[in-house]
Amino acid sequence: MGRSYYVEEAVEKYFTKIVQQEKSYVIGLLIGHCSPQRDYVVLAVQTPQKEDQGEVPKKKSGSSTLDDIDEEWVSIHANQVNRMLPGGLLVVGVFLITSPELSKDSQNALRKLIFAVDKSSRKNRLWSLDENDVTDRVAVHICSATKKNTCRTFEVSDPKSTAKPADWKYQNTPSYWLTINGNVHVDLTIPLSSCATYQDRQKCTRQGLAQWAKELENAVIFFNGQVKDKDGDLVDEQKKSRSVAHCSPQTISANILLASNPFNRSTALVQVCKSSLSIQGVVKCRAYLSNNKPKVKDAVQAIKRDLLNTVSDRCEILFEDIILNGSQHESEKAPCPLPQRLFIPIPGSNIMLCDYVFGDEAEEDLQNRFLEMMDLEVFRKDLEFAEEIHTRDTHAKDDQYPHDSYQPDKSSNEEMHTLKKGASTKFQQNIGLLMATAVVLLAALISLHYLNQ
């Protein structure tokens, strides 16, 4: 028997809206949660068109074919969308809406897209899949004329896998998700053996973060102040029944404790390097799990991966910005703020997406990026800031976004910051940066210190 996907009603309405565009085909991503027991789809988002490709022809023209699909472009979009997903959520598959005359080629096109997206997503990932991970990805085809959908899954761990039938079930009532929140103090020093270019430093940073990811494997996590058996239930039956009865989402706090000597090393580790990179700050982690009997091990996996992803993504975004636009600091020894994280709600759900932004970005930049990347409108009243925002600006503005309080070190010269109103930056410009740098929250600082050689 194939897998079953439980799909939010908002996804069905979104597909209806796309069909009304009457294009030859529309490609997009499916965002959700996978588990051995049940799979969910909470959001669908179409992949934006490249400017040099122009608009996809209307279906009545019959001039378009699925051979025109740019797999690399869809993969880039998926990578940037992954940066905007908290722990527990991922790109679970792709969808393709076509006119009837293109339907016969849809399965082959979807198969290529599924494997291209998965291969790209694994490229810079700091964590590895474990035995509990689901490696099936869903491919959904919808005929724009009949509105009929065909749902198939592919086993992405096997390049030779064939399509398997799956059930696609729309839900009339929204799902309630457990929210796991945690603050983690990060204090990393990464040696940089080569400092010739920012690309070299970026590569060394990835290697350093990969070593840190191994240390995180031995971390101990407290949930609501308790250490629980990893194979046990995350929520006890009494609290769970009370939450279900009131149909209200539940929030769980997580505290992550890192081992002081994870590799039982009794001597100092000496490494030759030309410079070092320090990453310091408090990271706001967030993960979501379905209410369907979540296990402690699921929560551990989700919150750890969110921590790894958000630190790695912010470093990547910073280097992309420096490579594309140059350093904004007179001295490389000066502290350089990482892009900060904020959370944005999915309409009709208690799940929130995230984004990253630099201190000098405008409010309109954020709104346009979310509209182009996630096809969602963003309103300032819905933004959630869980960490203090810093910049070198000396005055707070009247149009400052609301945010939760986080007290920085009083010795810091950084001042509170506001997202400014200004002209937006298009999705096409600086694609490596703009598909990724998006909206606000970690108060971390990067410093490059050149050592005496």
Side-chain angles (χ1 to χ4, degrees):
M1 183 177 178
R3 303 189 69 85
S4 294
Y5 290 85
Y6 294 84
V7 187
E8 295 293 327
E9 188 178 20
V11 175
E12 183 178 20
K13 294 178 180 178
Y14 184 73
F15 287 156
T16 301
K17 184 180 74 171
I18 294 178
V19 168
Q20 293 173 352
Q21 298 174 4
E22 296 186 342
K23 294 180 179 179
S24 293
Y25 66 85
V26 175
I27 305 164
L29 307 173
L30 299 170
I31 297 167
H33 173 80
C34 291
S35 70
Q37 296 83 21
R38 182 176 289 190
D39 300 315
Y40 298 88
V41 177
V42 299
L43 192 65
V45 52
Q46 62 178 313
T47 297
Q49 292 296 311
K50 287 174 111 176
E51 284 186 356
D52 57 1
Q53 284 184 333
E55 288 292 321
V56 173
K58 296 291 185 179
K59 63 181 182 180
K60 61 183 178 181
S61 68
S63 61
S64 178
T65 69
L66 297 185
D67 293 335
D68 300 330
I69 294 176
D70 189 336
E71 297 169 18
E72 182 180 4
W73 179 258
V74 178
S75 296
I76 291 173
H77 181 222
N79 285 341
Q80 309 313 322
V81 167
N82 273 319
R83 288 181 174 180
M84 303 168 81
L85 302 180
L89 297 183
L90 71 157
V91 176
V92 299
V94 297
F95 69 84
L96 178 61
I97 300 176
T98 71
S99 57
E101 56 269 22
L102 297 180
S103 295
K104 64 179 184 300
D105 299 322
S106 61
Q107 182 167 309
N108 187 47
L110 284 167
R111 188 183 195 282
K112 291 180 180 179
L113 288 172
I114 284 284
F115 282 93
V117 166
D118 179 73
K119 181 180 179 181
S120 180
S121 67
R122 287 187 278 109
K123 188 175 181 181
N124 294 321
R125 197 165 59 194
L126 290 180
W127 44 270
S128 300
L129 298 176
D130 61 32
E131 59 184 7
N132 295 315
D133 278 298
V134 175
T135 53
D136 285 305
R137 295 294 177 264
V138 63
V140 177
H141 171 253
I142 300 174
C143 176
S144 59
T146 65
K147 312 299 187 296
K148 179 183 178 181
N149 67 66
T150 304
C151 182
R152 298 283 188 271
T153 59
F154 293 91
E155 174 60 64
V156 292
S157 62
D158 179 10
K160 297 181 180 180
S161 68
T162 57
K164 298 177 183 178
D167 290 330
W168 187 260
K169 302 178 179 180
Y170 289 111
Q171 300 185 99
N172 296 325
T173 57
S175 302
Y176 290 99
W177 296 78
L178 290 174
T179 303
I180 304 172
N181 285 324
N183 293 326
V184 182
H185 183 266
V186 176
D187 188 357
L188 296 174
T189 298
I190 299 175
L192 305 178
S193 59
S194 174
C195 57
T197 65
Y198 280 108
Q199 286 88 343
D200 294 331
R201 296 171 190 173
Q202 186 179 30
K203 182 178 180 181
C204 289
T205 301
R206 288 187 192 130
Q207 294 172 348
L209 290 177
Q211 181 66 28
W212 175 59
K214 293 180 181 179
E215 297 177 9
L216 192 61
E217 292 177 0
N218 298 315
V220 177
I221 301 182
F222 292 80
F223 294 104
N224 288 340
Q226 298 179 338
V227 177
K228 299 188 175 184
D229 179 10
K230 67 177 183 178
D231 293 319
D233 293 330
L234 181 63
V235 181
D236 60 66
E237 289 301 322
Q238 183 179 3
K239 291 183 178 180
K240 183 176 180 181
S241 60
R242 188 185 308 127
S243 175
V244 171
H246 289 82
C247 294
S248 59
Q250 185 175 355
T251 300
I252 296 175
S253 65
N255 299 96
I256 303 178
L257 301 181
L258 300 177
S260 59
N261 189 9
F263 300 112
N264 297 319
R265 192 172 59 236
S266 60
T267 58
L269 177 65
V270 179
Q271 291 180 262
V272 178
C273 63
K274 294 184 178 181
S275 63
S276 66
L277 180 147
S278 297
I279 305 174
Q280 299 174 334
V282 177
V283 181
K284 174 67 176 182
C285 299
R286 179 167 296 181
Y288 293 94
L289 294 177
S290 75
N291 245 334
N292 186 32
K293 299 181 180 179
K295 297 294 184 180
V296 172
K297 60 185 177 183
D298 300 327
V300 169
Q301 180 193 81
I303 202 70
K304 282 185 179 181
R305 289 180 180 180
D306 185 69
L307 173 60
L308 292 171
N309 288 343
T310 188
V311 174
S312 175
D313 289 344
R314 282 183 241 205
C315 291
E316 290 288 327
I317 292 168
L318 177 66
F319 279 115
E320 288 172 0
D321 183 50
I322 293 175
I323 292 170
L324 289 168
N325 302 318
S327 176
Q328 302 298 315
H329 300 269
E330 295 180 2
S331 171
E332 289 183 330
K333 296 182 181 181
C336 179
L338 283 169
Q340 296 170 313
R341 195 184 199 190
L342 68 87
F343 294 94
I344 302 100
I346 297 177
S349 173
N350 71 303
I351 290 178
M352 302 187 82
L353 305 173
C354 69
D355 207 350
Y356 302 92
V357 76
F358 288 99
D360 59 353
E361 287 197 84
E363 173 189 336
E364 199 173 344
D365 293 336
L366 162 62
Q367 292 171 327
N368 285 342
R369 279 199 304 269
F370 240 84
L371 187 60
E372 290 180 293
M373 296 256 284
M374 305 296 290
D375 208 7
L376 289 175
E377 288 189 82
V378 171
F379 302 98
R380 68 160 57 191
K381 65 181 178 64
D382 296 325
L383 300 182
E384 179 183 317
F385 295 85
E387 297 167 353
E388 186 62 48
I389 307 170
H390 293 81
T391 187
R392 290 185 177 273
D393 292 349
T394 56
H395 300 286
K397 306 293 172 64
D398 292 336
D399 61 344
Q400 181 173 332
Y401 285 112
H403 58 274
D404 296 332
S405 175
Y406 161 73
Q407 296 298 325
D409 188 341
K410 296 298 183 182
S411 64
S412 172
N413 292 325
E414 301 286 304
E415 300 290 339
M416 191 146 30
H417 162 67
T418 64
L419 275 179
K420 304 174 184 177
K421 293 183 179 180
S424 64
T425 312
K426 290 297 182 181
F427 172 84
Q428 296 295 328
Q429 300 170 340
N430 301 339
I431 183 172
L433 171 65
L434 293 181
M435 290 190 78
T437 64
V439 169
V440 181
L441 199 133
L442 162 63
L445 298 177
I446 286 188
S447 300
L448 292 172
H449 303 288
Y450 284 90
L451 306 177
N452 293 329
Q453 302 184 25

